[in-house]
């Protein structure tokens, strides 16, 4: 089994039999092996193939994380913690505490595309080697990381026969295959980009001016770009604003300049995919490999389109956050998180543009407000609170933003008076705006804040109001979750009989709604209150 943080690329895998065997043997001896090589030489695909081959040797399997979307070294350990789930709080996790929590766990960690955070990765991995005993690590980077205990495997380009096989599999013409592959120094990404099935273009200039392996990918990208139409070039440039991948729908949303352009974008994206400029991921997602993204980002700046593309990207993810917030109570929360989690890097990029650069504080504040549950559920409440407080300084009057502040402060067990103030502010804003669902959620947070203060009557009144409004609102899942929160609050106030009745009521409903994690917590808490009342 391979559990993926950012999904690995699915693309043709040709040859590399000797390399797989050599890496396999190297990992038997060394606990940290780095696959190093030039851009586009196939490091990610080789690491993914090796992980699939040997995952069964590890009791917990293999875990794959792509580091390329991370721009902040402080997010590295929390991202690994979120993937490994070692039983420690994710937010603020450092390498030492994470390594101690991993302890004797037997697993393979594949950490991909480390170049831009090489120093931070080296420190974290060195700590893992020092403080864990049965964990092995496979990393990919253009150069060695410099971590203590690291063994470096220099990945060469493909051999001539393997290169020709890949070229033909990608649809390249047979008559010139050997010459082109030799001109591209056997670098797989360069070969795939040049060997387009539909529009190969004239390759004579590539044969006449062969490239070195270190520049083969760049040369192939430039060559392919020169054979695109202007509209195809614009779409490719715009895709550089995505961080950590994208869906087909979001690409159409961001790359289309107007409604009439959406059909053209839908037609262009498969063309770019066929040309290997876009790479498919698991679960219907796509991405630009880093050499392509770096090239496209530079062309975006040269075309003076970076700012407009960033705005469309932020606006698209504002819409997505709002739509998903509206769907929060339509199905199991775990399914909602599974849809939202892969977009975290894009949400971060939108917030950097909107809040850090102060391009659109209102938009940034809305996104933060919509994401409160996500930050809490994936273990990043500190990041969420920092963003919410940043937005609250810049804007005023957003009820969902204040609800997020109240929600996350509750998750972090911060001062209940602060929770209450934020929740009451949210409730007032929702009431003024006629947002009934928002009022329900705010009343829940008010009830929980009073429960933290052990003010039973005030907490009970807040939950009674929330329950009545939820019943009028007519969403059964929302009613169940209000009951679940009311049960927690009742137990906090030592109202064990009340908590017992509430847990007994909501537990079967949570199971029926496939809210397995909440159902298990409800059952555990029910056992606690049964014990507290003498059973």
């Amino acid at each position: 089994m391979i559990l993926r943080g950012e999904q690995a690329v699915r693309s043709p895998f040709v040859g590399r039999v000797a390399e797989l065997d050599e890496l396999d043997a190297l990992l038997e001896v060394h606990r940290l092996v780095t696959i190093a090589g030039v851009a586009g030489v196939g490091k990610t695909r080789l690491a993914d193939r090796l992980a699939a081959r040997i995952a069964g040797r590890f009791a917990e399997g293999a875990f794959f994380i792509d580091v390329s979307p991370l721009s902040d070294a402080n997010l590295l350990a929390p991202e690994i913690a979120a993937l490994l789930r070692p039983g420690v709080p994710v937010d603020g996790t450092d390498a030492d505490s994470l390594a101690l929590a991993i302890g004797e766990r037997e697993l393979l960690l594949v950490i991909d595309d480390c170049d831009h955070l090489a120093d931070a990765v080296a420190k974290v991995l060195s700590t893992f080697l020092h403080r864990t005993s049965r964990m092995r690590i496979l990393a990919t980077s253009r150069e060695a990381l410099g971590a203590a205990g690291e063994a470096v495997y220099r990945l060469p380009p493909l051999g001539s026969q393997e290169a020709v096989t890949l070229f033909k599999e990608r649809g390249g013409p047979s008559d010139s295959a050997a010459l082109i592959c030799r001109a591209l120094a056997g670098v797989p990404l360069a070969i795939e980009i040049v060997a387009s099935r539909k529009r190969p273009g004239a390759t004579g200039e590539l044969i006449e001016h062969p490239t070195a392996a270190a520049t083969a990918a760049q040369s192939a990208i430039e060559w392919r770009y020169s054979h695109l139409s202007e509209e195809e070039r614009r779409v490719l440039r715009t895709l550089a604003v995505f961080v950590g991948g994208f869906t087909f729908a979001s690409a159409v949303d961001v790359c289309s300049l107007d409604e009439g352009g959406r059909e053209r974008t839908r037609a262009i994206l498969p063309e770019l995919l066929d040309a290997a400029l876009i790479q498919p991921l698991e679960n219907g997602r796509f991405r630009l490999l880093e050499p392509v993204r770096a090239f496209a980002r530079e062309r975006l700046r040269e075309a003076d389109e970076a700012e407009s593309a960033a705005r469309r990207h932020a606006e698209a993810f504002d819409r997505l956050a709002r739509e998903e917030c509206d769907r929060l109570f339509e199905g199991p929360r775990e399914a909602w998180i599974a849809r939202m989690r892969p977009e975290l890097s894009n949400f971060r990029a939108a917030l950097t543009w909107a809040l850090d650069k102060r391009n659109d504080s209102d938009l940034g504040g809305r996104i933060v407000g919509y994401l409160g549950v996500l930050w809490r559920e994936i273990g990043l409440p500190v990041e969420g609170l920092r963003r919410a407080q940043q937005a609250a300084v810049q804007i005023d009057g957003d009820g969902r933003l204040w609800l997020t502040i109240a929600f996350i402060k509750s998750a972090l067990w911060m001062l209940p008076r602060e929770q209450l103030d934020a929740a009451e502010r949210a409730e007032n804003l929702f009431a003024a705006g006629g947002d009934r669902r928002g009022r329900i959620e705010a009343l829940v947070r008010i009830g929980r804040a009073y429960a933290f203060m052990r003010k039973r009557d005030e907490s009970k009144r807040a939950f009674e109001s929330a329950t009545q409004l939820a019943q009028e609102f007519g969403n059964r899942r929302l009613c169940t979750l209000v009951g679940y929160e009311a049960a927690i609050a009742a137990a906090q106030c030592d109202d064990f009989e009340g908590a017992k009745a509430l847990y007994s009521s909501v537990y079967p409903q949570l199971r029926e709604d496939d809210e397995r994690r909440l159902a298990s917590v409800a059952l555990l808490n029910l056992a606690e209150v049964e014990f507290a009342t003498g059973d």
Side-chain angles (χ1 to χ4, degrees):
M1 177 197 74
I2 305 180
L3 180 64
R4 305 187 189 280
E6 295 294 340
Q7 302 94 331
V9 176
R10 293 182 300 172
S11 194
F13 187 87
V14 173
R16 298 297 198 193
V17 175
E19 289 88 341
L20 279 170
D21 290 341
E22 290 165 0
L23 275 168
D24 193 345
L26 204 56
L27 263 177
E28 288 285 339
V29 178
H30 301 277
R31 292 180 56 215
L32 168 60
V33 175
T34 298
I35 304 175
V38 300
V41 78
K43 301 181 292 293
T44 296
R45 275 169 281 192
L46 184 61
D48 190 51
R49 182 58 62 96
L50 179 63
R53 170 170 160 174
I54 67 176
R57 300 178 197 168
F58 298 85
E60 298 191 35
F63 295 78
F64 190 108
I65 183 168
D66 180 6
V67 179
S68 63
L70 300 181
S71 58
D72 184 350
N74 293 322
L75 294 174
L76 180 59
E79 286 290 322
I80 296 173
L83 178 65
L84 299 184
R85 296 184 178 273
V88 296
V90 172
D91 238 346
T93 296
D94 58 27
D96 284 295
S97 58
L98 178 54
L100 287 172
I102 294 170
E104 299 295 314
R105 290 176 63 180
E106 185 181 17
L107 57 90
L108 173 66
L109 174 64
V110 182
I111 182 163
D112 186 41
D113 224 344
C114 303
D115 305 85
H116 66 302
L117 293 178
D119 291 342
V121 171
K123 291 176 182 177
V124 170
L125 300 189
S126 295
T127 301
F128 285 171
L129 295 184
H130 180 63
R131 294 190 176 274
T132 69
S133 59
R134 306 179 73 189
M135 177 185 193
R136 291 185 183 267
I137 305 161
L138 182 63
T140 74
S141 180
R142 294 187 192 180
E143 299 295 337
L145 299 174
E150 175 188 24
V152 180
Y153 184 86
R154 301 282 177 184
L155 182 62
L158 290 172
S160 57
Q161 188 55 52
E162 292 176 338
V164 168
T165 300
L166 176 62
F167 186 79
K168 291 179 180 179
E169 283 196 8
R170 288 294 295 178
S174 299
D175 55 352
S176 57
L179 289 174
I180 293 172
C181 291
R182 188 179 306 119
L184 296 173
V187 173
L189 177 60
I191 291 169
E192 290 187 46
I193 289 173
V194 171
S196 171
R197 289 186 177 88
K198 294 183 179 178
R199 287 179 300 164
T203 55
E205 64 268 32
L206 292 174
I207 298 173
E208 293 172 11
H209 305 285
T211 60
T215 58
Q218 178 76 9
S219 297
I221 295 166
E222 291 175 353
W223 175 85
R224 174 55 65 196
Y225 187 75
S226 71
H227 287 84
L228 298 177
S229 70
E230 182 48 46
E231 186 69 2
E232 289 171 331
R233 293 179 191 178
R234 188 193 62 76
V235 170
L236 180 64
R237 294 193 298 264
T238 305
L239 290 173
V241 300
F242 287 98
V243 184
F246 51 86
T247 63
F248 191 90
S250 62
V252 170
D253 207 11
V254 174
C255 294
S256 302
L257 298 178
D258 51 44
E259 192 61 34
R262 298 178 74 85
E263 286 305 316
R264 291 194 299 275
T265 303
R266 288 191 184 97
I268 286 170
L269 290 171
E271 296 280 346
L272 298 179
L273 179 65
D274 185 74
L277 294 169
I278 297 176
Q279 291 285 327
L281 302 173
E282 302 286 349
N283 303 324
R285 292 179 63 79
F286 305 87
R287 74 166 180 173
L288 302 184
L289 288 180
E290 194 51 38
V292 179
R293 184 167 182 260
F295 175 87
R297 193 165 52 234
E298 186 60 32
R299 301 293 84 74
L300 191 68
R301 284 194 290 265
E302 290 175 356
D304 197 25
E305 297 168 349
E307 185 61 25
S308 59
R311 173 170 286 281
R312 291 199 306 278
H313 176 270
E315 290 172 346
F317 282 92
D318 175 31
R319 289 191 293 272
L320 177 64
R322 182 187 68 247
E323 291 164 3
E324 287 294 344
C325 184
D326 290 343
R327 298 173 64 188
L328 181 59
F329 299 107
E330 292 182 1
R333 186 158 295 196
E334 289 297 326
W336 183 87
I337 294 167
R339 290 196 304 273
M340 292 285 277
R341 180 66 175 85
E343 301 294 3
L344 181 59
S345 294
N346 281 308
F347 286 128
R348 284 171 171 158
L351 291 174
T352 296
W353 179 85
L355 295 178
D356 294 351
K357 299 179 180 179
R358 292 196 175 226
N359 285 310
D360 194 332
S361 297
D362 289 333
L363 181 149
R366 288 197 303 270
I367 293 177
V368 172
Y370 296 138
L371 297 185
V373 172
L374 179 66
W375 269 309
R376 159 69 188 273
E377 294 290 352
I378 64 175
L380 295 172
V382 173
E383 179 182 349
L385 182 59
R386 178 180 66 81
R387 281 301 191 185
Q389 290 175 328
Q390 178 189 20
V393 170
Q394 298 182 28
I395 65 172
D396 190 24
D398 189 311
R400 194 150 289 280
L401 175 60
W402 286 100
L403 178 64
T404 288
I405 292 173
F407 181 68
I408 294 179
K409 285 190 172 184
S410 173
L412 294 171
W413 292 74
M414 298 180 73
L415 292 175
R417 184 72 248 178
E418 294 181 3
Q419 300 175 34
L420 182 61
D421 290 345
E424 288 181 333
R425 187 166 182 173
E427 201 268 336
N428 289 333
L429 288 166
F430 286 134
D435 186 337
R436 287 192 298 164
R437 200 195 95 175
R439 279 196 70 199
I440 295 164
E441 294 177 80
L443 284 165
V444 167
R445 304 275 42 102
I446 290 171
R448 286 296 304 273
Y450 276 126
F452 274 115
M453 300 176 186
R454 300 181 69 80
K455 293 185 176 182
R456 180 186 296 188
D457 292 342
E458 290 89 339
S459 178
K460 188 173 182 180
R461 280 196 295 271
F463 274 108
E464 286 173 349
S465 297
T467 300
Q468 181 180 344
L469 284 173
Q471 290 170 347
E472 294 172 0
F473 191 71
N475 185 299
R476 189 174 65 79
R477 283 180 176 272
L478 179 57
C479 290
T480 299
L481 290 170
V482 170
Y484 171 80
E485 294 280 359
I488 295 173
Q492 283 180 307
C493 294
D494 294 337
D495 179 11
F496 297 125
E497 291 298 336
K500 186 190 303 185
L502 286 164
Y503 279 128
S504 297
S505 173
V506 302
Y507 170 67
Q509 294 172 356
L510 290 168
R511 290 198 62 184
E512 183 179 337
D513 290 341
D514 200 28
E515 296 284 1
R516 289 174 290 178
R517 184 178 62 80
L518 295 182
S520 65
V521 174
L523 189 60
L524 177 64
N525 290 352
L526 178 59
E528 293 279 1
V529 296
E530 291 281 12
F531 182 80
T533 54
D535 188 348

